[in-house]
Amino acid sequence: MDRAGGRGARARRGTRPAAPRSRGAEKGAARSPSRGRVAGEGSSAVATLPAPQTDGRPARGGRSARRAPAAQELPAGSADALPAARSRAPAARAPAAPQSVAAEPDVAVAAASRRPPPASDALRLREVLSRLSLPREDVSEASNLVNKAVSHLVQAIRGKDSFFSSIELHKAGSYYEHVKISEPNEFDIMLVMPVTNIQLDESDDTGAYYYVSFKRSLKAGWLKFLEEDGKLSAFKMLQALRETIKQEVKNIKDMEVTVARKKAGSPAITLQIKNPPSEISVDIILTLKAQHSWPPSTQGGLKIEKWLGTKKRTDFRLEPVYLVAKQNKREKVLRGNTWRLSFSHIEKKMINNHGNSKTCCESNGLKCCRKGCLKLLKFLLQQLKMKHPKELEKFCSYHVKTAFLHSCITWPNDTDWHLGNLDHAFQQCLGFFVDCLQKSQLTHFFIPQYNLLSLEDKARHHFLSRKISHELNNGFPVFHENY
């Protein structure tokens, strides 16, 4: 879901790193002339990523006392199923230049000049990816607990407070996009309030945060959530919902559910469900849904014409406007009455129906590696955040998700994401993200004027850029360095 905060450290549990690299593979990778190049568009010149950094040692070769385990097999017919490793990855076709996106960074590397990576590198990434797949029995158990708890709460909220009687349940986030990694222990749920006749006024120059007011007189239930100037208070609504949930979780039978302490600036009410030996975290997001035209700030975004088609873009822009209760930290006086645009419902549809051809990853269609690349991007950031929690605390999975969506329109064709070309496609995505970090410019996918990388944090951006370049140039030791 599009949240400003990440969840790095919690995800360590249950993650099995990939198998160690052999010495022969290391040496071969070090000699590869393609190491550090990423295919892209724009300049015809060939740029290389920085040389390997000295702040971390590459992963050591396989130890004699431990042999690398075989990659787990995925279910037949799965969209993430992986083919047998090829001796050489197929050469990538240079993609056509996409339509420009405002403030979108250039990837100054020519696809045609890149030689295929060693087959051992591609196989190693597939082994990592196979270990990120969630066990079906764990997923079923976790989702059953979450569904039971949330269904109970929604029914109770509707019955207890007539104001919330029209609330709707929407499921969002990586679990429902089928790109969740490591463990099924984090879920995102949107509790959606339909609203009508609203007026949106920008609260800053990002085009993402808004004040909500009403054009007509309201029913009495809404009046208690209005500020003196008539603006709808996200803080007051969120507080009322939190109190109702805190009281009602006590009545959920056959499981232990608690409400976590409120996190400053977070739009979520977090449930913690005991599921020994661990626990499940459920973020409940208060959301407004309005049949309202998308704000002008979104006009130049969602440039998916060459990827998913012009008709699909038109259909998406006819969807309701969603706004989550999120405080804008750039306000001079923090009152908690701002709402942030949310596109998680659109993101879920794009990721689950991601093909340029209408049959991509369907049962009878060709399989691609888009979701695999997104999983690897998330896992790489997760592992780096665990190693450098202080330096990378401001980065979250939404940063790599946004870079991935931009990569999908930079390389729009399914042939650019052939399943057997996982290593090449992953390096393209990484190269795009590194370029964004080096320029401190990552454009919001739906709001072109909104830069997700604050210019005040350039040192952090360059730090992560160096770490990713080190991983890329040394065969991703962070995936398996302790084995």
Side-chain angles (χ1 to χ4, degrees), residues 330-348:
R330 297 177 58 172
E331 275 191 307
K332 293 181 179 179
V333 180
L334 298 179
R335 296 179 179 175
N337 59 350
T338 54
W339 300 81
R340 188 183 67 195
L341 290 176
S342 171
F343 302 93
S344 58
H345 58 305
I346 306 295
E347 292 164 359
K348 182 170 74 171

Side-chain angles (χ1 to χ4, degrees), residues 3 6-15 132-146 172-176 179-189 260 263 270-284 378 382 386:
R3 295 195 301 265
R7 295 168 163 170
R10 284 187 297 176
R12 182 186 284 274
R13 291 196 304 275
T15 302
L132 297 180
S133 299
L134 305 180
R136 287 187 175 183
E137 60 273 15
D138 294 348
V139 170
S140 177
E141 179 184 3
S143 61
N144 286 340
L145 289 173
V146 170
S174 60
Y175 175 80
Y176 300 103
V179 290
K180 184 76 179 71
I181 60 174
S182 304
E183 287 186 274
N185 60 354
E186 295 174 349
F187 293 77
D188 297 312
I189 300 294
K263 296 180 182 178
T270 303
L271 304 181
Q272 294 175 328
I273 303 175
K274 293 292 184 183
N275 185 33
S278 60
E279 68 179 22
I280 300 169
S281 174
V282 183
D283 279 354
I284 295 178
K378 293 174 62 174
Q382 178 193 93
M386 287 194 291

Side-chain angles (χ1 to χ4, degrees), residues 83-84 86 88-90 122 126 367-369 417-424:
R86 301 186 178 187
R88 293 178 65 86
R126 290 179 182 141
K367 305 297 187 292
C368 79
C369 64
W417 302 85
H418 190 277
L419 186 57
N421 211 13
L422 173 68
D423 181 87
H424 176 71

Side-chain angles (χ1 to χ4, degrees), residues 40-57:
E41 62 162 354
S43 171
S44 60
V46 176
T48 57
L49 291 172
Q53 305 296 311
T54 58
D55 55 352
R57 297 175 56 190

Side-chain angles (χ1 to χ4, degrees), residues 150-204:
V150 172
S151 296
H152 176 99
L153 287 176
V154 170
Q155 291 181 5
I157 291 169
R158 287 171 177 167
K160 269 192 169 183
D161 192 332
S162 59
F163 175 77
F164 289 115
S165 61
S166 60
I167 208 163
E168 302 170 358
L169 172 63
H170 287 202
K171 298 175 180 178
S174 60
Y175 175 80
Y176 300 103
E177 293 166 349
H178 307 292
V179 290
K180 184 76 179 71
I181 60 174
S182 304
E183 287 186 274
N185 60 354
E186 295 174 349
F187 293 77
D188 297 312
I189 300 294
M190 300 172 74
L191 292 189
V192 180
M193 283 285 295
V195 293
T196 57
N197 299 312
I198 65 169
Q199 177 177 316
L200 300 179
D201 297 299
E202 293 188 1
S203 69
D204 63 11

